[in-house]
Amino acid sequence: MELSNILDLIENARLKYSAHHIVKLIAVSKYASTEQIKFLYQSGQRAFGENKVQDLRQKCEILQNLPLEWHFLGHLQNNKINALLDLKPSLFHALDSVILAQDLQKKLSAKNQILKCLLQVNISNESQKNGVSLENAGEIYCQIAESYPNIELVGIMGINQNTSDTAILNRNFSAAKKLFDSLKNAKILSLGMSNDFELAIANGANLLRIGSKIFD
Ligand SMILES: *Cc1c(COP(=O)(O)O)cnc(C)c1O
């Protein structure tokens, strides 16, 4: 779908939720070539997301002359931390365990760097998904915020179930919103992908990560 059509859908959903609500779109470019990214840039899109460190590095390098904002969305292995930090992503969405926070803190402090992060929460409670459980998320969020000074926690990220059942999708999104509202200083609620972004907005999401709907 054309970017402008997606922006129209986002705008309609946003106005239905609240005229005061601000929603930001990340174009998830993991399926896209640098030519496609450039084309989107020319249509006004600035924020892009990748889920592999190697792909992010390549695309950053090729597109280094464009003022793009890069988000990292994927699970981060311990041995890729330094490589990711050197790329200075604007936001890391997938902080999914206390152990990863510990490892990140060590490497961030050695590099004298701060990283903005979202705590990834397993909002659909599926065993194959990464993220801390909804149940433990509040406590872990506070623990990370208090214990790791080089990690700047700014909110949470969730991936909903791959289903068209809107009752299930709504249940999981509204649980995420409830958690978000309970967190001190959380500003970003990153929910919503190609197939569920309108429902995500209806549940208060303010950051969307849309890939296939933009690039297919
Ligand atoms: C791939 C991906 C997306 C985008 O998914 P689409 O369904 O293609 O919109 C969003 N978030 C994360 C974490 C992803 O890995």
Side-chain angles (χ1 to χ4, degrees):
M1 197 183 271
E2 294 247 349
L3 180 63
S4 62
N5 297 123
I6 293 173
L7 293 176
D8 285 345
L9 295 175
I10 293 172
E11 180 63 2
N12 287 336
R14 183 186 78 81
L15 290 172
K16 248 190 241 166
Y17 180 75
S18 160
H20 302 288
H21 189 60
I22 294 172
V23 176
K24 174 168 169 165
L25 169 66
I26 299 169
V28 179
S29 49
K30 66 191 186 198
Y31 320 101
S33 67
T34 50
E35 282 310 307
Q36 286 175 296
I37 295 172
K38 245 189 234 169
F39 182 80
L40 231 65
Y41 166 79
Q42 284 156 1
S43 316
Q45 181 66 26
R46 293 292 176 271
F48 293 87
E50 289 287 329
N51 70 340
K52 295 204 177 94
V53 176
Q54 201 181 319
D55 294 349
L56 178 61
R57 186 200 289 131
Q58 266 187 7
K59 288 174 180 171
C60 279
E61 206 174 287
I62 295 171
L63 298 167
Q64 60 183 320
N65 292 327
L66 300 183
L68 304 181
E69 175 186 312
W70 289 103
H71 292 246
F72 191 74
L73 313 170
H75 177 68
L76 182 59
Q77 289 168 277
N78 185 284
N79 61 355
K80 302 275 168 63
I81 293 177
N82 278 324
L84 179 67
L85 296 183
D86 290 343
L87 298 171
K88 308 225 164 65
S90 80
L91 183 63
F92 172 47
H93 289 234
L95 180 52
D96 56 12
S97 73
V98 174
I99 294 183
L100 178 57
Q102 245 165 28
D103 293 344
L104 265 174
Q105 171 59 36
K106 269 190 222 146
K107 294 186 163 137
L108 283 164
S109 105
K111 289 174 183 288
N112 197 19
Q113 238 176 287
I114 303 277
L115 182 65
K116 274 194 186 166
C117 295
L118 302 178
L119 182 66
Q120 183 175 352
V121 182
N122 186 353
I123 63 169
S124 60
N125 198 23
E126 293 171 285
S127 57
Q128 73 274 22
K129 289 232 172 91
N130 293 317
V132 303
S133 70
L134 267 167
E135 217 181 0
N136 299 330
E139 196 179 320
I140 291 174
Y141 192 95
C142 292
Q143 189 190 340
I144 293 175
E146 283 166 13
S147 317
Y148 304 113
N150 295 60
I151 292 176
E152 188 185 347
L153 260 191
V154 291
I156 59 173
M157 183 275 262
I159 300 172
N160 216 330
Q161 209 165 309
N162 187 8
T163 174
S164 52
D165 186 332
T166 54
I168 292 176
L169 293 171
N170 264 318
R171 181 197 65 196
N172 297 338
F173 280 150
S174 80
K177 175 64 158 72
K178 196 171 152 205
L179 166 68
F180 174 73
D181 287 339
S182 76
L183 300 170
K184 229 176 50 187
N185 297 327
K187 296 176 194 73
I188 297 180
L189 181 56
S190 171
L191 304 171
M193 304 173 30
S194 290
N195 294 321
D196 57 20
F197 67 91
E198 287 160 301
L199 276 183
I201 296 168
N203 283 284
N206 55 22
L207 193 56
L208 310 174
R209 313 174 310 269
I210 301 183
S212 44
K213 204 171 184 84
I214 293 180
F215 288 108
D216 279 3

